[in-house]
């Protein structure tokens, strides 16, 4: 509001300009809606659908989850939020580089859009010797990622549980809390629609926040069961964050200390920032506004009929440890925990598995004299630790192929070295096999409604490895239906592996011909967007 008043006083502009400024200020809030809300819904469904003896392998943190008795929605397709994108950001100290200057790299991944949401630019201020270059979002007046003459910075999504969903029991104009009824508050929003009459939306609120299940769009986004009423609590509604000032200061920061200080007012959405300055210092600064919860976040939908899980406020900045100039001279984040192997009591258990971050750390610590050229190669690295371990565990479960084309495909799988290069035939077999196996496994374990949805989420990747490791080390861990089913787990897993391998060969044969040596992983990624991918209907083929 102070900024708007300053603009109006200096320029004498009226309501139109004020609306434009308000639109600009709103961008960060719109972008801040929690990225793991759909994950909470799917995780809660998994907790309700998984056999108890398998839940510890599929979702170790899910023991206290609850979900309404209604059956899950039967709408097919990949749930929103499941896109196979993973960002990364890293920095190395000058004593690790060839020219004794620090290096920063950032690779933000978002869904494909037309036009692209990122806008690359460079701004020079005449007479002051100042310049800023990087990426911004149209309508946002500062650079989100970039560099000035003293500092370079990037960021990756923290995937912190900064929002909560509450399952509400609503009766008309009231809702139930602690065995008492409270009145829903309402407000009316009028939304202009080009070429049509304005749309009138009635928004209901509990004491925690808006009832998001009233929105058809959000109901579809969250795949809510029929009859479920869910409210949303999120820090943007109550926390005194100031992203505009934070980025203004970031763009002008001269060192990592000023950079970290600028983030004190930043809260939406939770990001892990990494920066390096011209003095040779590197720093990781997690920035978020996080709820004060009565108990640690658990990746679950909460019971709204009790105040047990009501927030006690919001912490800004959140109590997250930063890191400056680590002794190893390397800082990395790939949507995993800011501190590798650290605790998730504050952030929550929905961060990404660490295999991408671990791979980056391995590459960066192995290079003692890193150059910008080598940094570019590392950013284009195609080695996938998940697929590499997956193939080593699943390959012994596949029976010896009888048909020639299957034998050739299996030989390619045997030669797979973990590199998902676009021109690799081995990667084509391994990649399609991994996707089909994950889909078939969780469909078998969780049913046709919940299983395919969970298979689309990043949480399913470590779950697959946990199940396969347990099978290798203990045998017969998949007691799927009843105690009498004990002993059949290994056979079932081998059957799923065989079916997935056969399906992978069938899909690749139909889409790329019957000569396995000419199959290419890059063509798999391209063809998946076409109608030729019906064999992999609903299967996510992202790297």
């Amino acid at each position: 509001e102070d900024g708007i008043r300053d603009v109006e006083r200096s320029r004498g502009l009226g309501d139109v300009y004020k609306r434009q400024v308000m639109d600009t200020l709103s961008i960060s809030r719109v972008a801040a809606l929690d990225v793991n809300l759909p994950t909470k819904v799917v995780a809660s469904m998994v907790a309700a659908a998984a056999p108890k003896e398998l839940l510890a392998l599929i979702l170790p943190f899910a023991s206290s989850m609850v979900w309404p008795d209604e059956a899950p929605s039967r709408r097919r397709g990949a749930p929103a939020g499941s896109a196979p994108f993973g960002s990364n950001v890293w920095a190395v100290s000058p004593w690790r580089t060839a020219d004794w200057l620090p290096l920063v790299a950032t690779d933000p991944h978002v869904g494909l859009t037309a036009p692209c949401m990122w806008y690359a630019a460079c701004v020079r201020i005449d007479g002051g010797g100042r310049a800023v270059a990087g990426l911004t979002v149209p309508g946002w007046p500062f650079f989100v990622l970039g560099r000035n003459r003293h500092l370079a910075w990037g960021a990756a999504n923290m995937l912190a549980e900064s929002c909560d969903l509450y399952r509400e029991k609503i009766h008309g104009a009231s809702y139930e809390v602690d065995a008492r009824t409270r009145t829903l508050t309402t407000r009316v929003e009028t939304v202009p629609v080009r070429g049509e009459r304005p749309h009138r939306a009635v928004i209901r609120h509990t004491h925690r926040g808006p009832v998001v299940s009233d929105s058809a769009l959000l109901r579809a986004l969250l795949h809510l069961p029929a009859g479920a009423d869910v409210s949303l609590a999120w820090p943007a509604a109550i926390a005194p964050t100031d992203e505009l000032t934070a980025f203004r200061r970031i763009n002008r920061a001269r060192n990592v200390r000023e950079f970290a200080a600028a983030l004190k007012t930043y809260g939406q959405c939770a990001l892990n920032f990494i920066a390096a300055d011209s003095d040779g210092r590197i720093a990781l600064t997690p920035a978020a506004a996080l709820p004060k919860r009565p108990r640690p976040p658990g990746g679950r939908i909460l019971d709204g009929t009790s105040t047990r899980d009501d927030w006690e406020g919001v912490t800004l900045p959140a109590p997250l440890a930063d890191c400056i100039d680590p002794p190893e001279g390397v800082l990395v984040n790939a949507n995993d925990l800011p501190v590798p192997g650290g605790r998730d009591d504050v952030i929550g258990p929905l961060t990404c598995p660490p295999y991408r971050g671990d791979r980056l750390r391995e590459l960066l610590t192995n290079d003692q004299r890193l150059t910008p050229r080598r940094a570019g190669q590392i950013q284009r690295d195609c080695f996938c630790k998940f697929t590499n371990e997956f193939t080593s565990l699943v390959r012994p479960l596949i029976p010896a192929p009888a048909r020639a084309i299957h034998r050739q495909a299996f030989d390619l799988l045997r030669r797979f070295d973990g590199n998902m290069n676009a021109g690799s035939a081995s990667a084509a077999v391994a990649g399609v096999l991994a996707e089909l196996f994950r889909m078939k496994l969780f469909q078998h374990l969780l049913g046709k409604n919940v299983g395919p949805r969970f298979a689309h989420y990043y949480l399913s990747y470590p779950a697959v490895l946990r199940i396969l490791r347990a099978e290798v080390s203990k045998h017969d861990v998949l007691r799927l239906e009843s105690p009498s089913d004990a002993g059949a787990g290994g056979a079932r897993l081998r059957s799923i592996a065989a079916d997935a391998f056969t399906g992978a060969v069938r899909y690749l044969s139909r889409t790329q011909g019957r000569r396995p040596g000419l199959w290419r992983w890059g063509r798999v990624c391209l063809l998946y967007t076409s109608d030729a991918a019906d064999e992999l209907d609903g299967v996510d083929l992202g790297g």
Side-chain angles (χ1 to χ4, degrees), residues 24 28 119 171 191 228 358 392 495 539:
T24 295
S28 65
Y119 184 77
H171 310 283
V191 183
D358 289 346
S392 68
S495 175
V539 179

Side-chain angles (χ1 to χ4, degrees), residues 86 109 117 330 368 407:
H109 285 204
M117 66 168 284
V330 172
Q368 293 301 318
R407 288 196 300 271

Side-chain angles (χ1 to χ4, degrees), residues 262-298:
L263 289 168
K264 296 299 183 183
T265 64
Y266 175 91
Q268 320 289 341
C269 65
L271 295 174
N272 291 311
F273 288 90
I274 287 181
D277 62 30
S278 55
D279 294 330
R281 311 199 74 181
I282 63 174
L284 183 150
T285 307
L290 295 180
K292 297 178 183 177
R293 295 180 171 98
R295 51 180 173 160

Side-chain angles (χ1 to χ4, degrees), residues 33-330:
L33 191 59
D34 199 294
V35 295
N36 52 42
L37 288 180
T39 310
K40 288 174 183 275
V41 177
V42 173
S44 294
M45 290 180 176
V46 171
K52 291 182 179 179
E53 61 269 27
L54 284 176
L55 190 55
L57 287 174
I58 297 174
L59 286 180
F61 58 83
S63 59
S64 61
M65 289 185 180
V66 293
W67 184 250
D69 294 332
E70 293 91 342
S73 166
R74 297 182 178 273
R75 192 162 66 86
R76 296 186 64 194
S82 65
F85 302 111
S87 304
N88 71 73
V89 59
W90 53 263
V92 293
S93 296
W95 58 270
R96 283 195 169 273
T97 68
D99 54 10
W100 290 90
L101 293 172
L103 273 172
V104 174
T106 185
D107 185 11
H109 285 204
V110 295
L112 293 176
T113 58
C116 177
M117 66 168 284
W118 291 114
Y119 184 77
C122 177
V123 174
R124 293 181 177 86
I125 303 175
D126 293 337
R130 290 178 293 175
V132 186
L135 296 176
T136 186
V137 178
W140 187 245
F142 301 113
F143 288 92
V144 179
L145 311 167
R147 68 185 189 274
N148 58 31
R149 295 188 184 278
H150 306 281
L151 188 85
W153 73 94
N157 200 308
M158 192 186 298
L159 295 182
E161 282 196 76
S162 56
C163 299
D164 274 324
L165 290 171
Y166 293 84
R167 177 168 46 91
E168 305 286 357
K169 186 176 288 186
I170 296 177
H171 310 283
S174 63
Y175 64 106
E176 184 178 320
V177 182
D178 293 336
R180 298 181 179 181
T181 58
R182 298 190 186 186
T183 302
L184 289 164
T185 60
T186 62
R187 77 173 194 272
V188 178
E189 294 279 357
T190 301
V191 183
V193 181
R194 179 179 295 177
E196 300 180 17
R197 298 179 63 182
H199 174 71
R200 184 176 178 272
V202 178
I203 302 172
R204 301 186 296 172
H205 281 254
T206 70
H207 67 285
R208 302 180 183 101
V211 180
V212 294
S213 51
D214 286 349
S215 163
L217 178 63
L218 288 175
R219 178 173 286 277
L221 171 72
L222 299 175
H223 287 252
L224 295 176
D229 284 307
V230 175
S231 66
L232 168 69
W234 66 316
I238 56 177
T241 64
D242 185 352
E243 287 71 38
L244 200 68
T245 299
F247 275 104
R248 177 178 181 271
R249 292 172 176 168
I250 286 171
N251 284 204
R252 299 184 177 199
R254 292 167 295 182
N255 53 58
V256 295
R257 292 290 185 185
E258 291 184 3
F259 180 82
L263 289 168
K264 296 299 183 183
T265 64
Y266 175 91
Q268 320 289 341
C269 65
L271 295 174
N272 291 311
F273 288 90
I274 287 181
D277 62 30
S278 55
D279 294 330
R281 311 199 74 181
I282 63 174
L284 183 150
T285 307
L290 295 180
K292 297 178 183 177
R293 295 180 171 98
R295 51 180 173 160
R300 62 189 180 277
I301 295 178
L302 302 172
D303 181 9
T305 63
S306 167
T307 56
R308 177 187 177 189
D309 288 307
D310 280 10
W311 293 359
E312 300 166 358
V314 173
T315 302
L316 177 73
L320 301 170
D322 58 2
C323 181
I324 297 179
D325 293 332
E328 61 273 20
V330 172

Side-chain angles (χ1 to χ4, degrees), residues 356-426:
R356 288 187 295 113
D358 289 346
R359 172 63 175 173
L360 276 170
R361 291 182 191 93
E362 291 173 8
L363 293 173
L364 293 171
T365 53
N366 287 338
D367 273 283
Q368 293 301 318
R369 287 293 176 260
L370 194 67
T371 65
R373 180 186 179 90
R374 174 59 182 154
Q377 293 172 347
I378 289 174
Q379 285 296 81
R380 295 188 294 273
D381 175 62
C382 292
F383 184 85
C384 180
K385 290 173 72 82
F386 163 77
T387 312
N388 191 51
E389 182 175 356
F390 165 80
T391 53
S392 68
L393 292 171
V394 82
R395 198 168 51 235
L397 302 177
I398 301 173
R403 299 177 59 186
I405 190 170
H406 288 75
R407 288 196 300 271
Q408 295 173 45
F410 191 77
D411 185 57
L412 288 171
L413 188 65
R414 246 195 325 257
R415 288 185 279 155
F416 176 65
D417 61 0
N419 284 293
M420 305 297 292
N421 295 312
S424 171
S426 292

